[in-house]
Amino acid sequence: YPDQPGQRALAVKLVETFDGVLGPKARLWAYYQLGQGVAGQGRRAELIVPYAGKGAPPWERAFLRLGWSPALSLINRAYGCTPERAVKATARIDEVFDAVAERLAAKGPWLAGERFTAADLVFAALAAPLVGPPEHPFPAPDLMALGGEAAETVTRWRTHPAGLHVLKAYREERGRVVGQGDSAAGGAAASNGSAPTGADGWDGVYQP
């Protein structure tokens, strides 16, 4: 987090907003689209199993290949993934992306000032499943492969100024080593209870 009190308060506020709004809506939208499956083809195991089975033992991957579709149905039920809620989630994500774009245009190049901070880290991590940065440390379902409206929406988010900010954050900051004295990135965010844990704060739970 920034050392300057005003910028620090702003970063904290942005992180709380992203955690409370963007994260839940992004997960709901992604799970709903995966539950709908590929346009005209239905659900496809190859979009789910390699991602969900990453690092799992062979028996677990075999079980997952047999039971991935019922498991996805349970997840959709738990998240309340309905067409109506997916539409509302899309609208809320659009609002967050527009607000981020406005802030960057007015106050950029980063969300809380001149430096990359926890606000940028958390936004990028939560929005990554919607944008698909190539530097992301975890394999994830390729939502573009769903085709149809889902692919169109991902393309729109990916080319949105806020989506471009996500790509920039992963491209320029993902591989940066965060020193103990650098309060701008993951370690400080983790201490606030709002960011994923890991060597640099990116390797965490912000995935759909």
Side-chain angles (χ1 to χ4, degrees), residues 89-146:
T90 302
R92 291 293 278 143
I93 293 168
D94 285 340
E95 291 174 4
V96 173
F97 270 48
D98 287 344
V100 165
E102 290 176 9
R103 169 158 292 281
L104 290 171
K107 304 290 185 179
W110 301 101
L111 287 172
E114 295 297 319
R115 297 181 61 200
F116 176 85
T117 70
D120 302 286
L121 185 153
V122 173
F123 175 70
L126 288 169
L130 309 176
V131 175
E135 297 85 1
H136 198 282
F138 296 101
D142 181 7
L143 298 177
M144 287 293 293
L146 295 172

Side-chain angles (χ1 to χ4, degrees), residues 42-167:
R43 295 180 179 180
R44 301 288 295 274
E46 61 267 26
L47 284 178
I48 305 293
V49 176
Y51 164 70
K54 177 70 174 179
W59 67 267
E60 190 171 320
R61 290 198 298 272
F63 178 80
L64 180 62
R65 183 165 291 278
L66 293 174
W68 68 271
S69 188
L72 185 57
S73 295
L74 290 174
I75 293 172
N76 269 252
R77 191 174 304 129
Y79 272 90
C81 297
T82 65
E84 295 77 16
R85 293 194 72 193
V87 169
K88 291 180 180 179
T90 302
R92 291 293 278 143
I93 293 168
D94 285 340
E95 291 174 4
V96 173
F97 270 48
D98 287 344
V100 165
E102 290 176 9
R103 169 158 292 281
L104 290 171
K107 304 290 185 179
W110 301 101
L111 287 172
E114 295 297 319
R115 297 181 61 200
F116 176 85
T117 70
D120 302 286
L121 185 153
V122 173
F123 175 70
L126 288 169
L130 309 176
V131 175
E135 297 85 1
H136 198 282
F138 296 101
D142 181 7
L143 298 177
M144 287 293 293
L146 295 172
E149 183 179 348
E152 292 175 3
T153 304
V154 170
T155 298
R156 178 166 59 81
W157 284 331
R158 187 175 288 174
T159 55
H160 189 282
L164 295 176
H165 186 69
V166 173
L167 297 177

